[in-house]
Amino acid sequence: MCFFRQLRALWLCVLVLWKYMQSTWEAKRLCEEDAKRFLSARYRVLAFLGARGLRQLGGVWPKVGQYMSTQGDKWPDEVLAELRKLRDAMPAAPFHTTKRTIEEDLGKSVEELFQHFEEQPIASASIGQVHKATLRDGRLVAVKVQHRHAARQIPIDVAYMRLLARFAWVLTLGEVDLMPVVTEWLGAVLEELDFQNEAKNQIRGRTELLEANVDMVVPEVFLSLCGRRVLVMEFVEGHQVAAGDASLTPDERLEVMTSLVKAYAHGLFVSGHFNGDPHAGNLLVTRRHGKAKCVLLDWGLTKQLSDQRRLAACKLIVSVGMKDTNGIVEAFREMGMNFSANADPEPELLLAILRQISLIENKQESRRMQAKFGETMQKAMSHKMELHTKVDSYTGDFFFIFRVASLIKGLATVLDIKAQFLEIFISVSRGVLAGRRPQRQQSLAPSGQRIWRVAAEALQRGAVGIQVAKVDANGQLQLSLSLGCVSYTSWQPLHESDPFPLGCTVLGAPLFATAVAAELRKRGIALNAPAKTFLWSKYSGPLTVGDILRGTKLICKAPPQATSRMLADLPALMKWLESAPAADGTAPAWWPSAEREAACAWLLKGGRQSPSSVMKDLFSEVRRPMFRACMSPIQISKPIMSVESAEVEAAQDSLVASLGADEMRAMHLTDVCLANHPALRDSERSFGQAASAASAAAAALHVKDELWDKATLSNQLSCAKRSRQGELAVVFLTCADADLALQLAELALET
């Protein structure tokens, strides 16, 4: 009997999904209006049949429909309307059965326990049903009673799903290992059968959210009235929310959603204990003191992360916000994901997926983006990027985090709410990684220095670290200012001596060119000398040494598979230059600077000098320190706090366009998100402070045309600006606004 029930479940899934896809194909042959009417009618029938089938199967299967009902950006409204009925409109047990369960578990009759007990349940789900009752002391309570067949059916369904996971592993020859995910989720489903465990989880969750001052309502549990199949809790008057709910204003819906996100941010990243089932059926909205509040129910499916996995989840979220693709892969590894040894993970695709999950838009826009994202994934697969071959095994912890984020996104779409919960997740994760912020006394700005006040205001707006230096025409230091923290995940004060990766600043390329030119002059090589004399034998184009130093001409084509490690490996780049096809006038945006660096290194090769050694010589001339790539804590890129859908689409299109050449990974290195990027630790990259870079740049200015011919150089990370009197101001930033560097440089010259 059980076998035929499972077979029926499989047949139902295959039949409904096939008819759903068939309807989509048939609609493509119709005009737009006819297609809409056709699909609406077909979806209504399929949804009704599918929901009825899941309801009849019972056990774990209705939970599949409950999960699908939260994916508002993936399914039509007709389907969602039917699937929502699986949350609280399942067949209810008769009262005499419910009464027998209560009396068996609690050892007393219903009349002894309750002053009044409503025989008709107010809701019935896959595992149990809920009745409204009144205790002997007059308090209203909700009594959750387990279906008597649940303890028999659900373990059988769990075993069947585990069998399907093993079957998938065998069919794919071990490439797809879903067993950790299935084991984790189904193990949690089995725990839901123990209502005493749910009671303890709910008490803990309520206590933690109250202590954290999160504006959520978790009903109080009466532990003395709870058994393995009976749970008694405070009755909270409320209702489920839906798009267009007249009882809530749009601002109130957004506020309710934000409080839910904050509650999950605390559970995921601070305590590690969170409700793993936040679908709309487990959420109510109530009013207390005239304010709408979110009520979080059903703590049966609850997850506890270990400290290691909790911190890894924090690193994952911060890496997504910092666009740190390599950090994403490292965080996945710390969470227990095993990547294939012979298949390099695709961190940029992981970043696109995570950003897609974290972006919450209104219903129409979210569905359009989902379709766009589907096209992106299809293109990725057409480029033979098979995601399932990149991972040997998935971790159950990641499954729950992914599931929670997906459910919240789907819920916001169903409610037609546009919100960004990535900002909240990043803020909480950053606080966890950085620790408690030390309380310091507010220092006063030096008299007359407006630059100090502007920098302090920028820190209040979200900038993390600021270094400003000013030197006179002779390189003598006149101003050195340092404010903020060394990185986005540390409260350690930024000091004037903390080094920045010079390759990310506007001074990196001109200082390196000056250092190479100085070394070549010692060998008697002029800037107008033909480069082919000093380059590889195959090159014969009209190119001078000065052209290489300034990067004014392309030499060859970019490598088709430019990984970040290759870009940090100068010998590998030099080897590519030696055999690469000649340039055809086009190149990726990141290639000219990488090519110039490799070509300059080749020019130094004859004198047995390296880029780091000539840079050190340049800084030594002005008696300032220069560092090689090291474990510097400085973070450069600005976090993604609010991403518009158009930006996500552009990022996805850029990703697909770069699948062949791996451009995004290469661009990530040139924009060094983290100075301690693993590929940089043993590289020839140079690090320096604003003061030392300013002094070196002032000295380089005496060499005509070797540094720059403009009064101002600026990018999002830095600015170098010189005055008519020859003074030079240099600004280095971490995680700040793009226009701040230029503003501070101008103020420094005025000081």
Side-chain angles (χ1 to χ4, degrees):
M1 186 67 180
C2 292
F3 172 76
F4 287 108
R5 177 173 167 271
Q6 304 302 334
L7 192 62
R8 180 183 171 195
L10 181 62
W11 170 248
L12 176 67
C13 294
V14 172
L15 179 63
V16 171
L17 288 175
W18 168 252
K19 287 296 182 181
Y20 177 83
M21 296 171 62
Q22 187 183 48
S23 300
T24 305
W25 296 332
E26 290 177 5
K28 292 180 180 179
R29 299 198 298 264
L30 304 175
C31 67
E32 185 176 354
E33 289 300 320
D34 289 344
K36 285 182 179 180
R37 286 193 294 269
F38 170 76
L39 288 176
S40 178
R42 183 66 65 88
Y43 288 159
R44 214 171 355 252
V45 172
L46 289 176
F48 172 77
L49 293 176
R52 187 181 67 174
L54 292 174
R55 191 180 297 110
Q56 290 173 346
L57 285 169
V60 170
W61 297 106
K63 285 189 168 294
V64 177
Q66 290 174 7
Y67 178 76
M68 292 171 61
S69 72
T70 64
Q71 307 301 296
D73 54 341
K74 296 181 177 67
W75 304 103
D77 290 335
E78 296 84 356
V79 175
L80 295 174
E82 289 295 331
L83 293 178
R84 289 190 196 109
K85 298 175 183 178
L86 296 173
R87 299 173 186 168
D88 54 13
M90 293 289 293
F95 177 66
H96 66 85
T97 303
T98 302
K99 182 179 179 181
R100 180 156 59 103
T101 302
I102 295 174
E103 293 175 350
E104 288 176 356
D105 264 37
L106 303 185
K108 294 182 180 180
S109 67
V110 171
E111 291 76 13
E112 291 179 279
L113 294 168
F114 305 101
Q115 185 181 46
H116 174 71
F117 192 97
E118 293 188 3
E119 296 184 6
Q120 187 66 29
I122 57 178
S124 180
S126 55
I127 290 181
Q129 58 194 54
V130 180
H131 295 258
K132 186 176 180 181
T134 306
L135 294 179
R136 284 294 174 183
D137 59 9
R139 285 181 292 181
L140 281 177
V141 292
V143 183
K144 182 177 177 181
V145 184
Q146 190 177 121
H147 296 312
R148 296 184 73 87
H149 59 76
R152 181 180 68 258
Q153 280 188 347
I154 288 180
I156 295 173
D157 292 344
V158 166
Y160 181 70
M161 288 187 174
R162 283 178 176 155
L163 181 63
L164 288 179
R166 291 189 183 278
F167 189 56
W169 185 82
V170 172
L171 283 181
T172 59
L173 301 179
E175 288 189 3
V176 177
D177 184 9
L178 298 176
M179 187 55 70
V181 173
V182 172
T183 300
E184 192 79 23
W185 180 59
L186 295 178
V189 170
L190 289 175
E191 287 184 6
E192 282 192 272
L193 295 175
D194 186 354
F195 284 3
Q196 287 179 322
N197 182 64
E198 178 177 346
K200 294 174 183 177
N201 287 332
Q202 188 162 326
I203 291 171
R204 178 182 172 184
R206 184 174 189 270
T207 302
E208 288 174 346
L209 293 178
L210 285 174
E211 291 176 350
N213 293 319
V214 178
D215 196 16
M216 285 282 294
V217 175
V218 178
E220 180 184 358
V221 173
F222 300 93
L223 194 57
S224 61
L225 296 176
C226 294
R228 186 172 179 81
R229 296 176 295 172
V230 179
L231 175 63
V232 179
M233 71 185 85
E234 167 194 6
F235 182 84
V236 179
E237 193 70 50
H239 66 279
Q240 295 182 12
V241 276
D245 188 345
S247 67
L248 294 175
T249 66
D251 289 341
E252 285 179 327
R253 288 207 302 274
L254 180 58
E255 188 176 347
V256 166
M257 191 68 201
T258 301
S259 66
L260 177 66
V261 172
K262 289 181 178 178
Y264 270 95
H266 183 273
L268 284 167
F269 309 119
V270 180
S271 68
H273 177 258
F274 59 94
N275 184 319
D277 203 17
H279 64 72
N282 292 338
L283 299 172
L284 298 178
V285 173
T286 188
R287 287 195 176 271
R288 294 194 173 180
H289 309 292
K291 182 180 179 181
K293 292 195 174 187
C294 185
V295 184
L296 186 54
L297 306 171
D298 195 352
W299 288 73
L301 205 161
T302 306
K303 178 63 183 172
Q304 174 65 57
L305 297 176
S306 66
D307 286 343
Q308 177 186 351
R309 297 289 172 85
R310 178 176 58 84
L311 293 176
C314 293
K315 292 178 184 177
L316 176 65
I317 293 298
V318 170
S319 297
V320 171
M322 297 294 296
K323 300 171 288 185
D324 180 11
T325 53
N326 291 276
I328 290 174
V329 174
E330 290 180 7
F332 275 137
R333 287 198 173 101
E334 291 180 20
M335 292 182 70
M337 271 193 173
N338 297 318
F339 292 97
S340 301
N342 60 350
D344 200 22
E346 297 294 340
E348 288 71 38
L349 196 56
L350 294 175
L351 176 61
I353 294 171
L354 290 169
R355 289 176 68 186
Q356 169 72 13
I357 294 171
S358 64
L359 182 69
I360 296 181
E361 282 279 0
N362 57 47
K363 185 184 296 185
Q364 182 178 1
E365 182 67 11
S366 185
R367 287 179 175 172
R368 188 184 67 82
M369 287 176 54
Q370 180 64 31
K372 181 74 174 179
F373 184 68
E375 294 174 8
T376 299
M377 295 301 294
Q378 278 190 333
K379 290 179 182 178
M381 299 307 173
S382 68
H383 282 73
K384 301 187 184 303
M385 182 186 289
E386 299 177 6
L387 264 184
H388 64 274
T389 63
K390 301 297 180 183
V391 184
D392 285 336
S393 64
Y394 298 84
T395 170
D397 291 338
F398 173 70
F399 165 75
F400 269 96
I401 295 172
F402 184 93
R403 183 173 186 266
V404 165
S406 179
L407 287 172
I408 292 176
K409 176 180 172 67
L411 178 62
T413 304
V414 169
L415 301 181
D416 206 14
I417 297 173
K418 179 179 180 179
Q420 286 288 343
F421 69 81
L422 181 60
E423 179 175 355
I424 298 173
F425 274 17
I426 289 176
S427 177
V428 174
S429 298
R430 179 198 177 191
V432 171
L433 295 176
R436 186 180 296 276
R437 184 166 191 167
Q439 298 295 323
R440 299 190 182 91
Q441 291 185 346
Q442 182 67 35
S443 55
L444 299 177
S447 177
Q449 289 198 11
R450 184 180 166 217
I451 184 174
W452 196 101
R453 291 191 293 273
V454 171
E457 291 171 0
L459 293 177
Q460 294 295 322
R461 294 195 305 269
V464 175
I466 300 172
Q467 275 187 0
V468 182
K470 174 186 173 184
V471 296
D472 61 19
N474 297 317
Q476 297 299 312
L477 190 64
Q478 295 181 327
L479 170 68
S480 183
L481 177 68
S482 180
L483 289 88
C485 306
V486 295
S487 74
Y488 191 68
T489 55
S490 172
W491 299 121
Q492 178 185 338
L494 180 67
H495 192 265
E496 297 169 11
S497 62
D498 286 324
F500 282 68
L502 293 178
C504 300
T505 70
V506 291
L507 287 175
L511 284 180
F512 182 44
T514 302
V516 174
E519 172 62 25
L520 295 179
R521 275 198 307 272
K522 294 177 185 177
R523 301 189 218 163
I525 301 175
L527 296 184
N528 59 1
K532 65 181 180 180
T533 306
F534 311 100
L535 295 178
W536 44 95
S537 57
K538 79 172 186 64
Y539 185 77
S540 59
L543 192 72
T544 66
V545 170
D547 291 333
I548 292 179
L549 296 182
R550 300 184 188 97
T552 54
K553 294 182 181 179
L554 285 174
I555 302 173
C556 64
K557 291 184 178 180
Q561 297 293 332
T563 65
S564 51
R565 290 194 177 277
M566 179 181 181
L567 288 182
D569 187 355
L570 271 180
L573 281 179
M574 292 163 64
K575 185 176 180 180
W576 167 256
L577 291 182
E578 189 174 6
S579 58
D584 57 4
T586 61
W590 50 267
W591 176 239
S593 59
E595 181 192 65
R596 174 170 58 173
E597 184 179 25
C600 287
W602 191 284
L603 292 175
L604 295 172
K605 187 178 179 182
R608 296 184 179 179
Q609 290 277 59
S610 67
S612 60
S613 64
V614 296
M615 285 286 282
K616 188 174 182 180
D617 291 342
L618 175 65
F619 278 74
S620 296
E621 290 179 11
V622 294
R623 296 178 181 153
R624 290 286 178 181
M626 191 282 298
F627 306 90
R628 288 193 62 178
C630 59
M631 294 295 290
S632 171
I634 300 295
Q635 289 177 330
I636 300 299
S637 294
K638 182 177 176 61
I640 308 171
M641 288 301 193
S642 180
V643 186
E644 294 299 327
S645 57
E647 295 182 38
V648 174
E649 290 181 9
Q652 292 170 356
D653 289 341
S654 175
L655 169 65
V656 171
S658 67
L659 289 179
D662 204 3
E663 288 188 25
M664 286 187 66
R665 187 175 300 176
M667 290 173 67
H668 170 68
L669 183 70
T670 58
D671 181 36
V672 186
C673 176
L674 297 176
N676 61 349
H677 187 302
L680 294 177
R681 292 174 187 169
D682 300 317
S683 73
E684 290 287 332
R685 303 282 170 163
S686 302
F687 288 69
Q689 311 97 350
S692 60
S695 299
L701 277 170
H702 294 294
V703 183
K704 185 179 179 182
D705 290 336
E706 288 181 11
L707 186 56
W708 67 71
D709 56 2
K710 297 180 181 179
T712 303
L713 293 176
S714 181
N715 64 12
Q716 183 175 346
L717 311 171
S718 60
C719 181
K721 186 176 180 64
R722 56 178 172 171
S723 67
R724 293 180 179 178
Q725 293 76 29
E727 296 174 320
L728 180 67
V730 172
V731 178
F732 289 166
L733 304 174
T734 65
C735 306
D737 295 327
D739 58 349
L740 178 62
L742 179 58
Q743 182 185 8
L744 291 176
E746 292 173 345
L747 290 174
L749 292 177
E750 295 172 3
T751 302

